[in-house]
Amino acid sequence: ELRVRRAFHSATLLKSAVAGGPQRVLITGGITLINSERLEATRLGEIFDPATGAFTVHLLEMRKARYGHTATLLISGDVLVAGGGELAGGQLVTSGLGPDELQVSTVHADADLFRFSESAPRFEPSTVTMSQPRIFHAAGRGSGNLVLVAGGQSTTGVHQTTEVYNPSAGAAGSFGAGADLVEPRTLANMTRLGNGLLLISGGLNTIGTPSSASAGVERYSLGDAAPGEVAMAPVGSRLVSARYRHQAVILSDSQQVLIVGGLSDAGFTRTNAERISDASPTEDLANAGGRVYHDVVRLLSGDVLQVGGVNRPSGGGAQSVLEGTLYTPILVGD
């Protein structure tokens, strides 16, 4: 079992120090349950060892509690845990609030750097700070060392700005300004393509307003060049269906992205999936099964498994989704 109950946390596969060495998974932050009644964000992290099937006995501690954050694996094997926020006090599990109804008290501008070693895994004592507080943003590493942190929101609105983290600048690295997004977006998705391009899709343009869901898709090229030199560029085609809180996974040809689930601009679950790439129009894939708060993973066969989540259909109450969906792609050239 996890040592801390959590939802809306992050899980990151750590990089082994030697090729073929033991693997570990870092779990950080999220919302936890206090005394079986009160919801709070947590600052605690833990490590899972697949070889033993157990979590670490000793919990790791970030400087601040956070949920709605991102955790990005760096080439060095370190993990950048950025942004996120804390819940306002007095929110009880018995109140029946949905995830989008929870009240955020604080949004963080800082990030924690996690360093893994077999003997002494730890969070760095020094912190690194973004120019703006962000929660529900997107983050990903480009083809080199740099990490793009894009969009998200604070207590005042949705961000159109991006920031680029350089792990080589100082002991804990530093953030610098990146090129603005084509449109402001929070609760969007970022997927890294095989050529190192970062594909950003969907999201909301306005805090808490489903009707502002975006169908926009844009790409960002981020090597180890100066980050301000490369502007955001819209992809040739947009999503068929505007959506947010969706999931995306790169297919095995490293060129196409499968986008599934999420919420529509009416606040209901999307039942279709979409396949998009830089080189071809968006393909609408019907009957994927409506769900949100789910996950997707690409199997070694190339198939994609969509599992878990909640269905929130038009005219009905939310229901847990027990059935998994398996998608077998026809790849470019097949």
Side-chain angles (χ1 to χ4, degrees):
E1 294 184 353
L2 282 163
R3 299 188 60 79
V4 176
R5 296 176 183 270
R6 8 178 139 241
F8 300 99
H9 49 287
S10 64
T12 309
L13 181 65
L14 299 174
K15 180 180 177 182
S16 177
V18 293
Q23 297 288 344
R24 302 287 189 277
V25 179
L26 173 69
I27 296 100
T28 59
I31 296 173
T32 191
L33 187 61
I34 306 297
N35 296 328
S36 300
E37 61 177 13
R38 182 164 43 89
L39 298 171
E40 281 187 4
T42 179
R43 68 176 66 207
L44 298 174
E46 51 193 304
I47 296 174
F48 177 72
D49 182 353
T52 63
F55 292 89
T56 45
V57 174
H58 301 292
L59 291 168
L60 306 164
E61 193 165 341
M62 298 183 287
R63 268 171 223 73
K64 295 176 181 176
R66 32 179 120 234
Y67 88 104
H69 56 287
T70 54
T72 307
L73 180 68
L74 309 180
I75 287 180
S76 64
D78 297 341
V79 177
L80 179 71
V81 183
E86 299 182 45
L87 291 175
Q91 297 185 78
L92 304 180
V93 69
T94 53
S95 64
L97 294 174
D100 294 317
E101 299 169 317
L102 295 172
Q103 298 299 308
V104 179
S105 65
T106 305
V107 179
H108 301 312
D110 63 0
D112 277 295
L113 187 66
F114 173 80
R115 297 196 190 277
F116 177 69
S117 70
E118 292 287 346
S119 58
R122 72 191 193 282
F123 286 99
E124 275 287 311
S126 56
T127 191
V128 58
T129 304
M130 298 180 287
S131 65
Q132 294 178 309
R134 300 176 190 268
I135 187 172
F136 307 136
H137 51 286
R141 184 172 57 81
S143 58
N145 280 301
L146 303 180
V147 174
L148 176 68
V149 177
Q153 65 192 62
S154 65
T155 55
T156 58
V158 176
H159 296 307
Q160 190 168 355
T161 58
T162 73
E163 309 194 34
V164 176
Y165 173 75
N166 183 352
S168 302
S174 67
F175 285 95
D180 281 357
L181 295 165
V182 174
E183 58 182 291
R185 53 178 94 219
T186 184
L187 297 170
N189 190 284
M190 183 185 293
T191 311
R192 180 183 171 187
L193 304 179
N195 55 10
L197 286 174
L198 296 169
L199 197 74
I200 305 166
S201 63
L204 287 179
N205 302 137
T206 307
I207 292 177
T209 306
S211 60
S212 73
S214 172
V217 182
E218 46 191 297
R219 61 181 180 267
Y220 197 106
S221 176
L222 186 66
D224 283 330
E229 292 179 357
V230 183
M232 289 290 181
V235 172
S237 58
R238 294 166 64 84
L239 296 176
V240 172
S241 305
R243 64 183 77 211
Y244 63 103
R245 285 199 183 277
H246 53 290
Q247 295 287 352
V249 63
I250 183 76
L251 299 181
S252 55
D253 63 359
S254 299
Q255 302 176 48
Q256 299 178 94
V257 175
L258 180 70
I259 293 171
V260 293
L263 295 171
S264 70
D265 46 13
F268 304 120
T269 42
R270 285 291 187 197
T271 58
N272 67 321
E274 308 187 38
R275 190 168 63 175
I276 190 168
S277 72
D278 249 352
S280 59
T282 304
E283 181 182 0
D284 190 8
L285 306 168
N287 302 319
R291 61 183 84 204
V292 66
Y293 313 121
H294 56 299
D295 212 345
V296 293
V297 63
R298 190 185 78 212
L299 308 180
L300 292 177
S301 64
D303 293 350
V304 175
L305 177 66
Q306 181 183 205
V307 65
V310 172
N311 183 20
R312 189 191 295 170
S314 171
Q319 296 179 332
S320 297
V321 180
L322 297 179
E323 301 86 358
T325 301
L326 194 66
Y327 171 72
T328 301
I330 300 174
L331 301 178
V332 173
D334 283 359

